[in-house]
């Protein structure tokens, strides 16, 4: 075999071997005790059951938490719709602790689930034959700093419940990370996948904890843990929800409504950003990638990097009247100053073929067009 060449075993065989091995190793997992009844064990534990193809076997459970950060949950819904198109309406289940919009019920299964309720979450996974778990529940950066105790419960205790259940039931687990996982001592331009991480927010600390726990459980017990560090994510459907990068959403709405935006960051604050469609496409492609192609369990993904003044200048190409004033918020500016200004996503591009579709010019054009159409459909004035 030539050096540096990866050889993949056929996917069904990989899934079969991995799950049998995962279950045998998980019996020594020192966490919660597993049920001893055969009815509650994964069917991969049965020597009499031949595995279906991976496409037939994919059953996805997505955790969201609209009660704590509605912006992220709207992003979850977009990812949900993409996944249902790929794997079938009934094979992708959204969960939350709050009633979703009517169209979510109409488009496929929805269940109540609190990530802090281990027993109920376990029942959902077993009863719905879940194979992939996509865990989006978390408190964002600025909101987390305002309520550290709650952030610790949701971001860390909830994560541990999900890790235990993924290991017990041999699930492919995706947990998003963030630009906030880096700190002031991290390389900033660019930030590589592997470097010093000393974040100074509870959000960032919990994300580093999740990255390391997932990697540890992968190497020790065979958990198929996957994690992407998202930059700031920009979407027309996402109202600001307490994130440090949320100015890059609000500025588009302000440009088309009042023509004036007051920014809580300095005009030269450069941060990595990404269009929502690139974000969700990256997640789906990463989850589909054969495990043997992955050299890491946590990857940076990048698309563009800009400052408030740069995005304002691009918007003025379409709306010359836009006025931006700057009134830096101490908390958010301090957080932003501790984050990378660019991501190095070389490994994601090499290992599983990641490539963004949107740059700053494409992002601005799409956001303005989409918000203008949305406001017009709602009968709202457009500046």
């Amino acid at each position: 075999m030539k050096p540096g060449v990866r050889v993949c075993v056929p996917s069904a065989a990989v899934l079969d071997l991995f799950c049998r091995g995962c279950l045998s190793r998980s019996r020594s997992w020192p966490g919660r005790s597993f049920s001893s009844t055969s009815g509650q064990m994964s069917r991969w534990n049965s020597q009499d059951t031949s595995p279906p193809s991976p496409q037939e076997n994919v059953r996805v459970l997505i955790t969201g938490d609209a009660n704590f950060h509605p912006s992220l949950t709207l992003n979850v819904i977009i990812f949900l719709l993409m996944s249902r198109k790929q794997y079938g309406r009934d094979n992708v289940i959204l969960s939350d602790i709050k009633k979703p919009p009517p169209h979510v019920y109409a488009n496929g299964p929805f269940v109540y689930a609190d990530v802090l309720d281990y027993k109920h979450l376990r029942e959902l996974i077993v009863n719905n034959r879940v194979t992939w778990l996509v865990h989006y529940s978390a408190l964002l950066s600025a909101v987390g700093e305002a309520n550290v105790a709650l952030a610790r419960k949701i971001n860390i205790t909830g994560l541990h419940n999900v890790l235990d259940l993924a290991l017990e039931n041999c699930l492919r687990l995706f947990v998003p990370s963030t630009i906030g996982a880096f700190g002031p001592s991290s390389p900033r331009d660019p930030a590589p996948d592997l470097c010093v991480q000393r974040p100074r927010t509870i959000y960032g600390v919990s994300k580093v904890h999740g990255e390391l726990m997932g990697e540890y459980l992968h190497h020790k017990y065979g958990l198929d843990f996957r994690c992407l560090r998202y930059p700031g994510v920009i979407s027309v459907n996402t109202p600001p929800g307490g994130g440090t990068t949320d100015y890059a959403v609000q500025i588009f709405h302000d440009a088309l409504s009042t023509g004036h935006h007051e920014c809580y960051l300095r005009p030269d604050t450069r941060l990595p950003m990404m269009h929502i469609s690139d974000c969700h496409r990256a997640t789906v492609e990463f989850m589909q990638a054969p495990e043997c192609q992955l050299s890491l369990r946590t990857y940076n993904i990048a698309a563009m990097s800009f400052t408030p003044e740069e995005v304002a200048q691009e918007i003025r190409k379409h709306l010359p009247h836009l006025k931006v004033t700057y009134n830096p918020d101490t908390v958010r500016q301090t957080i932003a100053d501790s984050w990378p200004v660019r991501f190095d996503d070389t490994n994601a591009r090499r290992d599983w073929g990641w490539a963004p579709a949107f740059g700053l010019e494409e992002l601005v054009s799409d956001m303005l067009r989409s918000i203008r159409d949305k406001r017009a459909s709602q009968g709202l004035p457009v500046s």
Side-chain angles (χ1 to χ4, degrees):
M1 183 184 302
K2 295 181 180 179
V5 175
R6 294 191 182 105
V7 178
C8 295
V9 181
S11 298
V14 169
L15 189 60
D16 188 26
L17 290 171
F18 165 69
C19 287
R20 294 175 193 269
C22 177
L23 283 169
S24 64
R25 286 191 294 273
S26 68
R27 294 190 184 98
S28 61
W29 167 239
R32 297 175 176 86
S33 60
F34 293 173
S35 170
S36 60
T37 60
S38 60
Q40 290 180 309
M41 292 298 289
S42 167
R43 62 177 174 157
W44 296 112
N45 199 32
S46 170
Q47 298 294 326
D48 300 326
T49 305
S50 58
S53 70
Q55 187 73 13
E56 293 173 343
N57 192 53
V58 171
R59 296 273 293 173
V60 186
L61 176 65
I62 304 172
T63 68
D65 213 337
N67 198 43
F68 296 121
H69 51 92
S71 63
L72 184 55
T73 299
L74 285 170
N75 290 344
V76 171
I77 291 171
I78 298 171
F79 173 73
L80 170 79
L81 297 176
M82 291 178 63
S83 301
R84 283 179 175 160
K85 184 177 180 180
Q86 181 80 27
Y87 298 110
R89 178 183 183 276
D90 295 328
N91 289 325
V92 183
I93 305 165
L94 178 64
S95 68
D96 209 328
I97 62 171
K98 188 175 181 180
K99 185 173 71 173
H103 70 272
V104 174
Y105 285 112
N107 284 320
F110 172 85
V111 295
Y112 172 89
D114 183 348
V115 295
L116 298 179
D117 187 342
Y118 178 87
K119 182 179 178 181
H120 183 230
L121 201 57
R122 186 187 197 189
E123 290 174 355
L124 289 174
I125 289 169
V126 172
N127 291 341
N128 290 283
R129 297 175 289 112
V130 170
T131 60
W132 289 9
L133 185 55
V134 178
H135 178 59
Y136 275 118
S137 294
L139 251 65
L140 300 181
S141 55
V143 175
E145 290 306 288
N147 197 334
V148 174
L150 182 60
R152 190 170 62 242
K153 286 177 63 178
I154 299 295
N155 295 11
I156 297 179
T157 303
L159 170 73
H160 278 248
N161 286 343
V162 165
L163 287 169
D164 288 358
L165 288 165
L167 187 64
E168 174 183 347
N169 293 279
C170 199
L171 308 181
R172 178 172 295 184
L173 173 63
F174 176 79
V175 179
S177 189
T178 170
I179 182 178
F182 297 100
S185 57
S186 304
R188 300 188 68 212
D189 191 11
D193 287 312
L194 301 175
C195 65
V196 173
Q197 294 175 257
R198 292 293 185 272
R200 293 184 177 176
T201 65
I202 186 61
Y203 178 56
V205 168
S206 66
K207 288 302 183 181
V208 174
H209 176 77
E211 293 176 14
L212 295 177
M213 281 299 301
E215 184 174 337
Y216 168 77
L217 295 176
H218 167 72
H219 289 299
K220 189 170 180 67
Y221 298 104
L223 176 66
D224 189 354
F225 172 84
R226 304 180 183 214
C227 180
L228 293 177
R229 293 194 190 108
Y230 291 147
V233 178
I234 302 173
S235 168
V236 66
N237 294 313
T238 305
T244 300
T245 59
D246 281 350
Y247 86 86
V249 175
Q250 188 64 50
I251 191 171
F252 291 101
H253 291 276
D254 291 346
L256 287 167
S257 57
T258 66
H260 172 249
H261 173 70
E262 181 175 282
C263 186
Y264 51 74
L265 297 179
R266 294 190 312 268
D268 61 346
T269 306
R270 183 175 300 280
L271 292 170
M273 300 286 185
M274 176 174 285
H275 190 281
I276 187 69
S277 66
D278 274 345
C279 173
H280 294 314
R281 181 172 55 82
T283 306
V284 172
E285 290 176 0
F286 183 46
M287 285 294 284
Q288 291 174 335
E291 191 172 11
C292 56
Q293 290 185 4
L294 307 182
S295 62
L296 302 170
R297 307 317 299 182
T298 298
Y299 289 87
N300 294 338
I301 51 170
M304 67 195 86
S305 184
F306 57 74
T307 68
E309 186 57 30
E310 286 173 350
V311 71
Q313 290 289 0
E314 189 64 35
I315 293 172
R316 290 191 186 105
K317 293 179 182 179
H318 303 262
L319 301 169
H321 65 275
L322 174 64
K323 179 182 178 182
V324 179
T325 56
Y326 296 93
N327 183 21
D329 172 75
T330 302
V331 173
R332 291 186 179 184
Q333 187 64 59
T334 301
I335 292 172
D337 288 343
S338 72
W339 286 355
V341 299
R342 290 183 180 86
F343 273 171
D344 179 354
D345 62 353
T346 304
N347 290 319
R349 293 172 185 256
R350 180 199 65 212
D351 288 359
W352 47 277
W354 163 243
F358 285 79
L360 178 57
E361 181 179 347
E362 293 82 9
L363 176 129
V364 168
S365 296
D366 181 78
M367 288 291 291
L368 291 176
R369 180 178 60 254
S370 299
I371 294 175
R372 184 179 282 111
D373 291 347
K374 187 174 183 180
R375 291 182 64 85
S377 68
Q378 296 172 346
L380 298 173
V382 178
S383 174

